[in-house]
Amino acid sequence: MKRLVFLVFGIVLMFSAKSQDADSTQFAPRRPKVGVVLSGGGAKGFSHIGALKVIEEAGIPIDYIGGTSMGSIVGGLYAVGYDVPMLERITVEQNWDRILKDEIPRKFLPLEKRLNERHYLMTFPYKNGRLKVKRSFADGVYVNMLLTRLTMPAYQKREFDELPIPFLCIGTDMISSDAIEFRSGSLAQAIRSSMSIPFLFEPIDYDGKLLCDGGLKNNFPVQNVRDMGADIIIGVDLEITSSDPNQLDNSLRVLERLIAVVAQDESNRARKDCDILILPDVGSVNMLSFNDFGPILESGEVAAREKYPELKKLADSLQAIEPFEVQRFHTQPIDSIYVTDIAVVGVDERDQEIIRSEFGGEFPRAMSFEEIETIVVKIYSQGYYSNVWYELVDTPEGNILRFHCKNKTSLTFSVGAHYDNDYGIGVLLNMSAKTKHFLYNVDLNVADNPYFRARISYRYSKMWSGNAEIMAMNLKANLYYPSGSIGGVLRFQQNALDLYLQLVPSVTQSVRLGFNANYTMLKDMLYYEFDDEDTYKHEFWPRFYLHYFFNNQDHFDYPRQGWNVNFIAKCIMYDGVFSSSELQPMFTVQADVNKSFPVGNRHAFRIGAVGASSLGDMKLINTTIMYDKPVINYNDMFFIGGQSKMRYVDNYMSFTGLPFMSIYTQHAAFAKTAWQWNFYKNFYGIVSCDAGYFRNLLTMEDIDDLIAEILGDGYKNWFVPDKYVMGAGLTLGYKTMLGPIEIEVSKSNIIDSWVLFVNFGFWF
């Protein structure tokens, strides 16, 4: 503060002396220029907004502003002209979880990802003959879009000195290890480069440099702002000079401290060079506490008010030198832009045409940011491109929307994990490869119930693709008595070749028309202890099928709104009835329709209907006589029971209150209801009830009844009291980054014991 007083006093004396020499020259006193410098600190940088509020109240003009990392975001937006109330509003209105995680809304997911919903624990790109580790947790596409939208009012200003307040920010070049000062170019990308926190956000490949967080080299760029022309510096610094070792108890805290340590000497010098230094106390929050913006905003204001006497004294001194009126700006976010044409940069000509087609062909036209960002997310969600961002470039021909991206690594290996007590422990190993026309995908599930699946897809056009898939899997299911005890075990190993043509008219629906050749080896240990050699059945059945799928739900595990429709019709060619050996057709149809309704902010109601039936001549189709008892071919039937969302076989349907696959039926019709309550943050409570009719197989006595029904009318006496099944359950779920953790307790009217279901991890 003494330095500041002497500076102002000296300027006053100088101006006073010169004004007395009015005969020799007329000299207009010049007010000293004020620069504001904002340090990095991740989410703690929200405190800069509170500090700016007090600086404004004190009446201090801001002639230059600069920052690093989060300081570059706040400083850059302030330089564009957003006032403090608008910066606070922007902070409060963001979905920070989505921005930090690059969480793509489910409505934008490609259809293929909806059909095969999965999340991997880790993904490893394969480059130059080696497996690599991803450079970051998130690509940062949502950060790119947010910064582009907010800086769009100044898109014509390629020199940052031309902004309402001249601005600079600092990045770090990972190739040369140099600090990079940004004072021109794309404002959004300059800020994005400055705030690319290592390991969290993908470094920016920009102008021949690989850029990440500027805090690694210069977290508090005081000297840079002085070099812009600032005589007086007001600094807001968030970094602590030392840390309690007890607080360094996780990798995030260690990373945060590491960034501070690397630039500590530079920051210490910068602090000493400030004329007024504001040090907010953000408490225990860390650099990723973006949802704790309230206390952080307040901390900046509290710290600045402690310096208010000094700030006010400075403002009064500057007024004494040269009276002035502080100019404040009130820029508003814009909703749309006028686009003359689209240019795609970073990929070959074929990809350029594909991306351009997403934007449509009629230009020039006005485009809303909602429309542009929807297209950007759709392109990004396909999984083919990385480093996705866009900018508006002012050219003599008009405003060109320039879309930047790069092709992702064509070959990746991924690992996922899941447990539930229906399928057991599973570790999924995946290999995916992409070319211009083909997509290759290989799954190996190392599990209690393992499977192998390999698929190749050829994309004819945006909507049409041809697919070939081979699959081999093993599955075990228990057979239950009404008491709840296990009465037998069904084991089968299935191999299949699936060829299908797929039409995808939108991201929410698909139609498949295909042929499936299915070879099954089944071991039925239902009521008898057979020798292994005697209990195997070998079956090969070709089938044709039609599959329609529609899904626009907002979440896979805990949907609040949207539809899910799954319809499958099959024509199965079986090898005869009784002595006949000719192939004969048999038909099955199944439909599962669910609708979710939001109720208030935290509740949702779900209702659904399920129907399944085997049509045609069902009289002892492909049965085998063993020990004078016929054993029904389970490929004809529908598996009912359990709560797992795994789909090893497409004729499996969950039912509350029943153990996993405890009913095998040829006809089913039931309704499903559930009430979902998001009662605290990521915690969910669900009450569910299912009720309907089956022609079931549960006990030894039922076998004789079932045979009589098969030999007679398959639908006779279906909707009768002894075929009615009802189940209810209560589920507690918790949503984590590794997938949901769920515990369900349920009970039905046909099983005496309670059913416990436990699940952890994403489904696959």
Side-chain angles (χ1 to χ4, degrees):
M1 187 62 191
K2 290 182 179 180
R3 179 172 178 269
L4 177 61
V5 172
F6 283 128
L7 173 64
V8 176
F9 182 68
I11 293 174
V12 171
L13 288 178
M14 178 182 69
F15 291 159
S16 177
K18 288 185 178 292
S19 64
Q20 293 175 6
D21 193 10
D23 295 335
S24 60
T25 194
Q26 294 294 324
F27 183 84
R30 183 186 73 85
R31 173 180 62 79
K33 299 295 184 179
V34 178
V36 171
V37 183
L38 309 176
S39 79
K44 296 183 292 185
F46 291 144
S47 62
H48 293 319
I49 301 172
L52 287 171
K53 179 179 180 179
V54 178
I55 293 172
E56 284 189 352
E57 289 180 6
I60 294 177
I62 300 176
D63 302 294
Y64 305 97
I65 192 166
T68 296
S69 194
M70 193 64 180
S72 73
I73 298 178
V74 176
L77 296 183
Y78 194 78
V80 168
Y82 292 106
D83 57 23
V84 168
M86 179 55 67
L87 290 176
E88 292 176 341
R89 176 181 167 186
I90 290 171
T91 300
V92 171
E93 291 181 350
Q94 301 311 311
N95 183 337
W96 292 109
D97 288 336
R98 175 171 296 171
I99 291 171
L100 294 175
K101 300 175 184 177
D102 269 349
E103 183 180 339
I104 300 173
R106 202 163 184 271
K107 65 181 180 180
F108 295 132
L109 283 180
L111 199 283
E112 185 60 35
K113 292 186 177 181
R114 293 169 187 264
L115 283 166
N116 300 290
E117 189 93 17
R118 61 178 55 170
H119 296 265
Y120 297 112
L121 300 178
M122 298 185 70
T123 295
F124 304 93
Y126 186 80
K127 295 181 181 179
N128 303 321
R130 294 183 178 180
L131 288 177
K132 308 290 185 180
V133 178
K134 285 188 67 177
R135 297 189 301 192
S136 64
F137 175 76
D139 285 343
V141 66
Y142 274 94
V143 173
N144 292 342
M145 291 192 299
L146 177 64
L147 293 176
T148 299
R149 178 191 282 228
L150 294 177
T151 59
M152 195 57 70
Y155 79 93
Q156 294 174 312
K157 309 295 185 184
R158 305 295 288 189
E159 298 293 331
F160 300 167
D161 285 345
E162 298 176 0
L163 294 170
I165 302 175
F167 168 73
L168 67 77
C169 62
I170 305 296
T172 300
D173 184 0
M174 298 180 66
I175 298 175
S176 66
S177 301
D178 295 331
I180 306 298
E181 181 182 275
F182 292 97
R183 295 185 64 177
S184 63
S186 166
L187 178 59
Q189 280 296 287
I191 296 173
R192 172 69 173 84
S193 301
S194 179
M195 52 74 59
S196 293
I197 300 173
F199 308 115
L200 177 61
F201 293 118
E202 180 74 6
I204 298 300
D205 190 352
Y206 182 69
D207 196 23
K209 302 177 178 64
L210 189 63
L211 299 159
C212 70
D213 198 299
L216 295 173
K217 294 293 292 186
N218 186 356
N219 198 47
F220 198 29
V222 171
Q223 186 58 50
N224 300 76
V225 176
R226 281 202 183 278
D227 293 340
M228 291 178 75
D231 301 300
I232 299 169
I233 295 291
I234 301 172
V236 185
D237 189 15
L238 302 169
E239 293 300 333
I240 54 177
T241 56
S242 62
S243 182
D244 183 351
N246 295 323
Q247 294 183 350
L248 301 176
D249 55 358
N250 59 67
S251 57
L252 180 60
R253 290 285 190 184
V254 172
L255 174 61
E256 184 178 32
R257 184 60 185 148
L258 177 62
I259 294 174
V261 168
V262 169
Q264 189 73 66
D265 291 341
E266 182 71 25
S267 295
N268 288 339
R269 287 191 292 270
R271 286 188 177 199
K272 293 178 181 178
D273 197 27
C274 289
D275 297 291
I276 297 178
L277 180 62
I278 299 171
L279 300 173
D281 181 4
V282 295
S284 61
V285 300
N286 58 56
M287 64 180 180
L288 295 185
S289 300
F290 284 86
N291 290 316
D292 296 327
F293 45 76
I296 301 176
L297 287 167
E298 184 179 357
S299 70
E301 182 176 349
V302 169
R305 292 205 180 280
E306 293 177 359
K307 298 287 185 175
Y308 187 83
E310 297 178 39
L311 295 170
K312 183 61 177 173
K313 186 174 182 179
L314 171 61
D316 294 341
S317 300
L318 296 176
Q319 286 283 1
I321 296 172
E322 179 187 3
F324 60 88
E325 185 173 331
V326 177
Q327 184 179 9
R328 305 298 186 199
F329 303 95
H330 304 283
T331 298
Q332 298 292 310
I334 58 178
D335 297 324
S336 63
I337 53 177
Y338 192 79
V339 178
T340 303
D341 201 0
I342 302 292
V344 181
V345 179
V347 292
D348 61 26
E349 187 174 342
R350 181 179 181 275
D351 285 306
Q352 290 177 22
E353 290 303 316
I354 292 175
I355 292 170
R356 282 180 57 88
S357 68
E358 294 285 353
F359 286 91
E362 297 183 3
F363 288 97
R365 75 173 194 263
M367 297 186 71
S368 69
F369 282 106
E370 183 176 356
E371 178 186 1
I372 294 172
E373 291 176 0
T374 296
I375 295 171
V376 171
V377 172
K378 284 182 178 179
I379 294 171
Y380 174 71
S381 67
Q382 294 173 7
Y384 291 96
Y385 308 105
S386 61
N387 294 332
V388 176
W389 62 284
Y390 74 95
E391 60 181 333
L392 195 66
V393 181
D394 185 21
T395 71
E397 292 76 26
N399 294 328
I400 305 297
L401 194 153
R402 186 179 294 165
F403 185 91
H404 297 257
C405 65
K406 288 189 175 183
N407 288 105
K408 273 191 175 181
T409 303
S410 60
L411 181 60
T412 60
F413 293 85
S414 303
V415 179
H418 176 267
Y419 168 79
D420 69 53
N421 54 344
D422 288 344
Y423 284 92
I425 298 174
V427 176
L428 180 67
L429 308 177
N430 172 267
M431 183 198 76
S432 296
K434 303 180 182 74
T435 65
K436 289 184 178 180
H437 296 284
F438 288 93
L439 171 65
Y440 307 89
N441 195 76
V442 178
D443 285 337
L444 175 61
N445 185 18
V446 182
D448 296 336
N449 291 290
Y451 68 75
F452 170 82
R453 181 182 291 116
R455 178 170 56 87
I456 179 173
S457 299
Y458 179 80
R459 188 177 182 182
Y460 299 108
S461 66
K462 182 179 177 180
M463 293 193 297
W464 289 95
S465 66
N467 301 265
E469 181 177 300
I470 58 173
M471 185 269 288
M473 66 93 175
N474 282 279
L475 183 61
K476 179 184 74 172
N478 294 323
L479 305 173
Y480 291 86
Y481 288 111
S483 63
S485 61
I486 297 174
V489 178
L490 174 67
R491 299 176 184 269
F492 59 92
Q493 195 267 327
Q494 190 175 86
N495 307 294
L497 170 65
D498 196 6
L499 306 174
Y500 60 92
L501 184 67
Q502 180 168 272
L503 169 65
V504 183
S506 70
V507 296
T508 60
Q509 60 183 324
S510 74
V511 180
R512 287 183 179 181
L513 183 63
F515 168 78
N516 180 282
N518 194 318
Y519 174 79
T520 302
M521 184 175 68
L522 180 144
K523 183 166 80 170
D524 186 341
M525 299 183 66
L526 183 62
Y527 312 119
Y528 298 98
E529 294 183 0
F530 299 130
D531 295 332
D532 288 345
E533 295 182 357
D534 296 330
T535 58
Y536 282 111
K537 295 173 61 180
H538 302 269
E539 299 159 351
F540 177 79
W541 283 8
R543 64 193 69 196
F544 299 92
Y545 68 89
L546 172 68
H547 180 198
Y548 174 77
F549 177 80
F550 177 88
N551 185 289
N552 66 353
Q553 291 179 324
D554 58 351
H555 198 274
F556 181 71
D557 297 299
Y558 305 108
R560 296 193 69 247
Q561 60 184 356
W563 288 87
N564 183 80
V565 179
N566 202 16
F567 172 82
I568 304 175
K570 300 177 185 176
C571 174
I572 305 172
M573 306 302 294
Y574 63 90
D575 57 359
V577 178
F578 296 109
S579 61
S580 173
S581 60
E582 297 179 0
L583 289 177
Q584 300 182 32
M586 185 269 290
F587 301 92
T588 66
V589 292
Q590 62 187 94
D592 187 347
V593 180
N594 291 275
K595 170 65 175 174
S596 299
F597 305 88
V599 181
N601 294 326
R602 291 187 171 272
H603 296 267
F605 178 68
R606 298 200 296 269
I607 187 169
V610 180
S613 184
S614 299
L615 309 174
D617 190 353
M618 289 300 300
K619 296 181 180 179
L620 286 181
I621 295 174
N622 196 26
T623 61
T624 301
I625 303 299
M626 297 180 179
Y627 293 85
D628 299 324
K629 288 290 183 183
V631 180
I632 302 302
N633 189 326
Y634 295 98
N635 282 296
D636 294 336
M637 308 181 76
F638 302 99
F639 305 146
I640 312 293
Q643 288 300 298
S644 179
K645 296 178 183 177
M646 295 282 198
R647 295 299 295 267
Y648 277 45
V649 289
D650 56 20
N651 49 342
Y652 161 74
M653 288 165 277
S654 63
F655 192 96
T656 302
L658 293 180
F660 178 57
M661 295 174 64
S662 58
I663 288 183
Y664 308 108
T665 183
Q666 292 169 323
H667 309 292
F670 58 96
K672 302 172 72 70
T673 60
W675 187 275
Q676 175 181 290
W677 179 25
N678 179 203
F679 60 90
Y680 180 73
K681 292 186 177 181
N682 291 322
F683 286 92
Y684 292 82
I686 302 173
V687 178
S688 55
C689 180
D690 300 345
Y693 291 87
F694 308 103
R695 192 174 69 184
N696 53 41
L697 175 63
L698 289 174
T699 68
M700 188 169 181
E701 289 75 16
D702 291 326
I703 294 179
D704 296 324
D705 296 337
L706 182 60
I707 296 170
E709 290 185 26
I710 292 174
L711 293 174
D713 183 355
Y715 295 97
K716 185 178 181 181
N717 298 325
W718 182 16
F719 294 100
V720 294
D722 63 346
K723 306 300 181 184
Y724 176 76
V725 182
M726 179 176 179
L730 177 63
T731 304
L732 177 63
Y734 178 63
K735 189 166 60 175
T736 76
M737 294 181 62
L738 301 179
I741 301 174
E742 295 178 323
I743 300 176
E744 180 189 76
V745 178
S746 61
K747 181 74 171 62
S748 73
N749 64 318
I750 63 171
I751 298 291
D752 294 340
S753 62
W754 290 83
V755 177
L756 176 67
F757 177 75
V758 178
N759 164 71
F760 175 66
F762 293 111
W763 306 94
F764 49 75

